[in-house]
Amino acid sequence: MYAEERQHEIVTRARELGRVSVADLAARYDVTPETIRRDLDSLAGRGLVSRVHGGAVPADKLLLGEPSVTAREVSSPEEKLAIAQKAIGLLPHREGLTVLVDAGTTTGRLCGLLPSWVGLVVTNSVPTAAVLSQQEGRSVWLLGGQVRGITQAVVGPPALETLARLRVDVAFLGTNGFSVAHGFSTPDPSEAAVKRAMVASAREAFVLTDSSKLGVDHLVQFASLEDVDALVTDSGLPEASVAELRAAGMRVEVA
């Protein structure tokens, strides 16, 4: 295979999978990692991919912007449901458990899975609050503040002030990107502030995210690997990346 053909396929795979790794590509095309790195550097120079630790992502993936709830809702639905099911298994079985659910389409999948022993759910997600409030016997608190239209998340001082006074058993958070170097990140400072306060308010904090977010570093870090008790993700995460995260002290639960 000529380099041009290989590079064309690499761009296609990056767009389909959301991320490609040097190790996986080298094995796939039976070439050295150095050859793949040169391919990725060439593609990045032409604006076709963006280089990240250990591989590359589509060029538009590192933009400061973020997709709407509607756009994200139809992305990787099977993976998100599997992640949510895996996350539910991390909940302590204790009556009256208090759970905090962050805004997001992956965390939103928890709505239909929360067990009966969860006594109270606190959330900053307008859609999540709407769904949970219709469940019989479910106590739901919606944080107050400004609603960001693009994510339907409540942010701002009132939400932060409430979170500062709360102590919940478990927090489930979403993220726009994660990496060993930058931790967990999101494009918007106001959402990052709320996420950071959620982590601080919880006895245990779990981040739920599909594997396409690996290696994507957004503008604002809201938690380091050390701040989070476990990362729950799907089986698309490369084994080498799982090993790297675990070597850095991150508990990784693969759905």
Side-chain angles (χ1 to χ4, degrees), residues 41-125:
D41 288 342
S42 174
L43 293 169
R46 288 144 56 195
L48 297 173
V49 300
S50 294
R51 291 285 270 123
V52 296
H53 180 72
V57 297
D60 59 355
K61 201 165 183 181
L62 294 185
L63 297 176
L64 295 180
E66 53 192 311
S68 66
V69 170
T70 303
R72 287 184 289 124
E73 190 65 46
V74 298
S75 173
S76 307
E78 295 179 1
E79 289 83 353
K80 290 176 179 179
L81 179 58
I83 291 166
Q85 291 170 332
K86 185 73 172 181
I88 288 295
L90 302 179
L91 282 173
H93 194 153
R94 185 168 66 249
E95 289 296 329
L97 200 71
T98 54
V99 173
L100 198 160
V101 179
D102 184 21
T105 54
T106 304
T107 50
R109 295 299 198 282
L110 295 167
C111 290
L113 303 173
L114 290 171
S116 59
W117 65 82
V118 174
L120 171 68
V121 181
V122 181
T123 185
N124 71 324
S125 169

Side-chain angles (χ1 to χ4, degrees), residues 35-207:
T35 297
I36 295 299
R37 291 190 187 97
R38 286 195 296 270
D39 284 341
L40 296 181
D41 288 342
S42 174
L43 293 169
R46 288 144 56 195
L48 297 173
V49 300
S50 294
R51 291 285 270 123
V52 296
H53 180 72
V57 297
D60 59 355
K61 201 165 183 181
L62 294 185
L63 297 176
L64 295 180
E66 53 192 311
S68 66
V69 170
T70 303
R72 287 184 289 124
E73 190 65 46
V74 298
S75 173
S76 307
E78 295 179 1
E79 289 83 353
K80 290 176 179 179
L81 179 58
I83 291 166
Q85 291 170 332
K86 185 73 172 181
I88 288 295
L90 302 179
L91 282 173
H93 194 153
R94 185 168 66 249
E95 289 296 329
L97 200 71
T98 54
V99 173
L100 198 160
V101 179
D102 184 21
T105 54
T106 304
T107 50
R109 295 299 198 282
L110 295 167
C111 290
L113 303 173
L114 290 171
S116 59
W117 65 82
V118 174
L120 171 68
V121 181
V122 181
T123 185
N124 71 324
S125 169
V126 175
T128 293
V131 172
L132 290 176
S133 65
Q134 298 178 53
Q135 296 179 0
E136 186 176 352
R138 185 77 69 198
S139 295
V140 183
W141 288 6
L142 175 63
L143 296 174
Q146 174 193 356
V147 178
R148 291 190 73 224
I150 193 169
T151 60
Q152 290 292 290
V154 178
V155 298
L160 296 175
E161 290 166 8
T162 300
L163 286 167
R165 296 193 297 269
L166 295 183
R167 188 64 170 165
V168 299
D169 293 309
V170 176
F172 292 118
L173 296 101
T175 186
N176 296 80
F178 67 100
S179 68
V180 171
H182 195 51
F184 302 97
S185 59
T186 191
D188 185 72
S190 59
E191 290 217 30
V194 170
K195 291 175 184 288
R196 195 174 299 115
M198 287 179 170
V199 172
S201 72
R203 293 182 175 87
E204 291 185 287
F206 305 129
V207 172

